[in-house]
Amino acid sequence: MPGIEPLSTSIRHYDETRGPDGSPLPDWQSVLAHIAGLTPEQRDRREQEIVRQLRANGLAYQPEDGEQHRQHRALDLIPLLYDTPAWQQLCAGVAQRVRLQQALYRDIYGEQRLLKENILPAAMLYAHRGYLRDLVDPDFQGDVDASLAMAACDIGRDSAGSWCVLDDHCQYPAGVGYALENRIVLSRVLPRSFKQYRVSRIASYFRQLQTNLLAGVGNAGHCVILSYASSHPHYFEFAWLAKYLGYPLVEPADLSVRNNIVYLKTITGLQPVDVILRLIDDIELDPLMIGSGNSHGVPGLVEVARKGGVRILNPMGTGVLENPAFNSIMAQLCQALLGEPLQLQSQRTWWLGDDDQRESALGRLDELQLRHIDVPGEIFEPARMDPSGKQQLLRSIALTPASFVAELPCLLSTAPSLLDGEMRQRPFALRLFQVSAGADFYTMPGGLCLLDADRADERRTLQNIPGSKDVWVLSDQPVQEDTLLRSDSDDVAYGMANGELPSRIAESEFWRGRHSERVESAVRLLRRILQNLLDEDRSATEVLATPAMQGLLRALTAATGTFPGFAGRGGKKKLAHPNRELISLLQDARRPGTLANALQQWQLSASSVSDRLSSEQLRVLNRLNDLLAGLANLALPKDLCEDSTVLGQTLELLDELLLVMSANTGLEHENI
């Protein structure tokens, strides 16, 4: 296709647009021809629509450590295509891998036959922090559910066209919310193509997940989704998934254990919880558990789960399955546990806890990449490291060799991408999501395509990828429409079950309202002050000397609570020279009571309840976040009161801020 640049490398990447014999794939050629036929204006309009919808689905900024961090995820306009036969063949290998992981989990926390027969080296298991010895039940007398309800794995295709597993995600399927969002957005941006190519629906995956959640408790069971706080980088997808599935999103502080029952703290009292869909790591579930990472979590949760008082999906302890050292013996594990050959191979892996494997790997160090088994996504490439960095790495390996693996890098296949107006081939990894379906596992007919960051010595995470693609599995039969979205709206909606409202949510809503009032009060007073300073008939000095202006400045201090300010000690001097105090009241986010601080505190409260907000409210919040960033970026001079140009720019921003705050207040009355 014209305009797609080949990768600048002498090594051949497998091209996803061509078959094994090198011939162009018809579906790919059709899609690329359609994209090529768009005018630059049409492409720009579609890419802008993608950005608009991504922003409309969640907060554009996430508050963290008192600063503003842009949450920007680029979604490629060109999807990743696979026909049904190729997809089914891939799914068979992935399903076998999850069955193997489930069998491995049961053995590790059960009879431990693999350890006794030395198929699984004890040092390999014990070196990984995901192994939780509290959960070992060799006599199988506990009621802990040892079934994996869901899993995910990252796979890539090498230069020969063979798929290999890069990473496993067994605690919770990170990225499934992003995959859902990508599908909803791209199907709206390319509606004709979506129908024309008979794209398989992914709602079936989420329906099966709902079935698993309610298994054994029925429709009357109380299910919650347990996640990290709103400052977590994945919080957006947690909130998006909770709204789509229709279950309340809670944090560990929202739950309490009493008399072997897990309760949700609500404004009407404690409500028992039957099922927890957890989107949180094992080591942060229960601070009383041996190996717990910190003091957070739900004290006593492990004991309740062991006694069958609550069902947790996925079961605790599944983090041990994410140990990359297992890839060095995965074929042997498959034969020992399933009695069949491994269909989907892993990356060629050397576990450095084994003397022979360590000697072999260190002898070809510059050809390999190294990883610490307890730090997901972090990759060391010795060939690109300076001598001091390489020596430090070798010292770390010598101290704890069992904590490191070496891998033969997988030269990822490429697909055409259009991001930021640039069309070229990009390498990618594919994240596939599986959910339990009886005795087997069902793979989502789609997934998350992660464009490769291609950066050395950087963690491979969802936050540092340059973009993602939606994955389209093309059916040869008509596809029936299927969605969990409400039929009367194009928006996902959260519905409270049995009047539940966690106390934390109610508190956040209260403070969101209070901070909203504080923002409006500060904005109205600041607007009036700046309007007076823009008086064309009088100088700033004359305006500041008037009793009315001095009263406004004192009222601003009283309304914001920023004493002493204009009303306390030193107030007379500030009344005559208010520039420094006004700049602080406008931009100092670290000072309690200022406009910037009130907006930031309001944002913190809003982000913690984003799963409860309508799409209209989220759009207003996005705009308010933009205005907060604009306020922080204003270059306010020391002589602010005398600079009419900057005063006008600031006043214009405050005018829009007041307008958006009014819209926010109206939506609150309609939606609360």
Side-chain angles (χ1 to χ4, degrees), residues 234-539:
H234 288 179
Y235 185 78
F236 162 77
E237 75 158 321
F238 299 158
W240 183 249
L241 186 61
K243 292 173 73 173
Y244 189 74
L245 293 175
Y247 299 122
L249 186 68
V250 302
E251 299 174 13
D254 296 325
L255 302 179
S256 177
V257 172
R258 303 185 185 186
N259 299 321
N260 292 320
I261 299 176
V262 178
Y263 289 97
L264 174 64
K265 305 171 188 175
T266 75
I267 58 174
T268 58
L270 298 176
Q271 289 193 5
V273 174
D274 301 297
V275 182
I276 297 175
L277 173 62
R278 57 110 169 191
L279 304 175
I280 190 170
D281 289 341
D282 285 327
I283 59 174
E284 299 188 55
L285 280 171
D286 187 345
L288 302 181
M289 178 173 55
I290 296 176
S292 178
N294 50 48
S295 60
H296 302 298
V298 185
L301 186 60
V302 169
E303 187 66 18
V304 175
R306 288 178 67 92
K307 294 181 178 180
V310 69
R311 185 162 165 255
I312 301 176
L313 305 178
N314 266 341
M316 293 176 292
T318 48
V320 70
L321 303 175
E322 299 175 0
N323 186 348
F326 288 169
N327 290 334
S328 64
I329 57 170
M330 194 61 75
Q332 297 93 307
L333 294 176
C334 190
Q335 283 289 350
L337 292 172
L338 301 184
E340 56 191 48
L342 186 65
Q343 297 180 33
L344 192 60
Q345 299 294 327
S346 306
Q347 282 180 279
R348 178 71 188 280
T349 303
W350 291 261
W351 174 54
L352 303 191
D354 179 86
D355 294 341
D356 293 336
Q357 293 187 53
R358 183 172 64 257
E359 182 180 355
S360 176
L362 295 181
R364 51 187 301 189
L365 194 62
D366 287 346
E367 303 173 28
L368 306 176
Q369 63 186 27
L370 277 74
R371 300 171 60 183
H372 192 289
I373 62 175
D374 284 335
V375 186
E378 186 174 46
I379 295 176
F380 301 99
E381 298 186 13
R384 302 189 185 187
M385 299 175 69
D386 56 50
S388 62
K390 186 181 295 187
Q391 287 300 317
Q392 178 62 40
L393 177 61
L394 291 174
R395 284 194 293 268
S396 299
I397 293 173
L399 287 173
T400 56
S403 297
F404 287 88
V405 296
E407 299 171 337
L408 189 65
C410 179
L411 191 67
L412 298 174
S413 60
T414 64
S417 294
L418 178 64
L419 287 175
D420 300 324
E422 180 186 15
M423 178 82 78
R424 68 182 181 93
Q425 294 280 98
R426 292 179 183 264
F428 70 90
L430 186 60
R431 182 166 297 183
L432 300 184
F433 304 98
Q434 301 80 40
V435 61
S436 175
D440 209 339
F441 287 86
Y442 174 73
T443 302
M444 177 192 292
L448 187 62
C449 174
L450 307 172
L451 299 180
D452 189 20
D454 195 27
R455 293 192 288 265
D457 296 339
E458 185 165 351
R459 293 183 65 182
R460 182 197 299 153
T461 67
L462 290 176
Q463 284 69 57
N464 63 20
I465 61 171
S468 63
K469 286 175 173 284
D470 188 21
V471 181
W472 288 8
V473 179
L474 310 183
S475 175
D476 52 3
Q477 301 292 331
V479 176
Q480 185 177 2
E481 291 190 11
D482 186 19
T483 180
L484 270 64
L485 298 176
R486 294 191 306 176
S487 59
D488 59 338
S489 171
D490 64 351
D491 185 28
V492 292
Y494 172 81
M496 285 197 301
N498 300 322
E500 65 79 23
L501 182 61
S503 306
R504 175 186 55 84
I505 297 294
E507 182 179 3
S508 295
E509 283 289 355
F510 169 80
W511 285 112
R512 188 159 69 99
R514 293 291 292 122
H515 292 310
S516 176
E517 291 177 348
R518 291 169 180 171
V519 169
E520 284 201 50
S521 298
V523 168
R524 291 183 185 278
L525 286 168
L526 283 166
R527 282 177 71 249
R528 174 52 60 190
I529 290 170
L530 297 189
Q531 286 171 346
N532 288 352
L533 288 171
L534 282 171
D535 191 335
E536 297 180 357
D537 299 328
R538 293 180 294 179
S539 66

